[in-house]
Amino acid sequence: MEDRPRRLVIVGAGGHGRETLDAVEALCRSGHTAPLHEFLGFVADDADHELLARRGAQLLGPIDWLASAAAEGVSYTIAIGPSDVRARVAAAIEELPPRAVVAEPLVHPLASIGSDVELGEGVILAAGARITTNVRIGRHSHLNVGAVVSHDCRLGAFVTCSPGAFVNGTCVLEDGVFLGTGAIVTPGRHIGAGAVIAAGAVVVDDVPAGVTAKGVPARW
């Protein structure tokens, strides 16, 4: 029996959600996935309906919509930028009936993944994102456009690497770390849970949990 396309919804209908639709459409055009995704629409509390219509997409409803669609099988990806909000949304979805919906990694065909890489459920790799070798990425973490994670790194759950962020080798980023655009983490650094690294900052020391680090070198 031939596999049917996976029915996919994007949770979050803002700018990050519409960028994620670019990845879904690129996958469908490329034929890199088998079976291909069948995109159903966006799940969110609210959305700019005009912008969605211009993409040929629709707002299906709030998160509860996922439970109503479970009988036919639905996959989802959470396309929400802030790490803490993404974690709250994931928790709400996980309270739905068991096996109602499944989170899956979403990898743009223009992303690059090396050998011995493990991606958790719901991970998103945008166009130009690069992972080299022996890397572990936790659930619902995002590498945005042009973000790089180098060898032997460990990223926890709900980590966000904004466009152009660069994580050098043997680094550890704990759950919920947020790297701003163009941030650089130098080799071997450890960044504690929930820390925010500002755009353009250069991390040369280990960073404690929960702080905001700014500047070159980064200070908090």
Side-chain angles (χ1 to χ4, degrees), residues 58-85:
Q58 63 176 324
L59 181 65
L60 301 169
I63 289 173
D64 289 348
W65 181 93
L66 291 169
S68 68
E72 298 182 34
V74 176
S75 298
Y76 72 94
T77 186
I78 303 176
I80 294 172
S83 299
D84 56 342
V85 178

Side-chain angles (χ1 to χ4, degrees), residues 9-87:
V9 301
I10 296 174
V11 180
H16 192 37
R18 286 179 274 110
E19 287 180 339
T20 300
L21 178 56
D22 290 342
V24 175
E25 292 173 341
L27 283 166
C28 292
R29 289 193 300 267
S30 71
H32 283 195
T33 55
L36 299 177
H37 292 99
E38 176 191 353
F39 177 63
L40 301 182
F42 289 91
V43 170
D45 290 336
D46 197 8
D48 186 320
H49 293 272
E50 180 183 352
L51 286 177
L52 295 191
R54 283 160 56 181
R55 298 296 305 274
Q58 63 176 324
L59 181 65
L60 301 169
I63 289 173
D64 289 348
W65 181 93
L66 291 169
S68 68
E72 298 182 34
V74 176
S75 298
Y76 72 94
T77 186
I78 303 176
I80 294 172
S83 299
D84 56 342
V85 178
R86 194 157 69 244

Side-chain angles (χ1 to χ4, degrees), residues 96-173:
L96 298 175
R99 294 188 296 275
V101 289
V102 177
E104 61 176 277
L106 184 63
V107 179
H108 195 288
L110 295 181
S112 172
I113 302 178
S115 59
D116 190 22
V117 170
E118 181 180 306
L119 302 180
E121 64 178 15
V123 166
I124 295 177
L125 304 186
R130 308 223 179 273
I131 303 174
T132 64
T133 188
N134 306 106
V135 172
R136 303 291 179 265
I137 309 289
R139 57 197 295 268
H140 297 294
S141 288
H142 290 181
L143 271 64
N144 217 312
V145 176
V148 176
V149 176
S150 196
H151 64 89
D152 302 297
C153 285
R154 302 292 181 267
L155 276 60
F158 304 104
V159 170
T160 299
C161 296
S162 297
F166 199 108
V167 182
N168 281 273
T170 65
C171 291
V172 175
L173 278 59

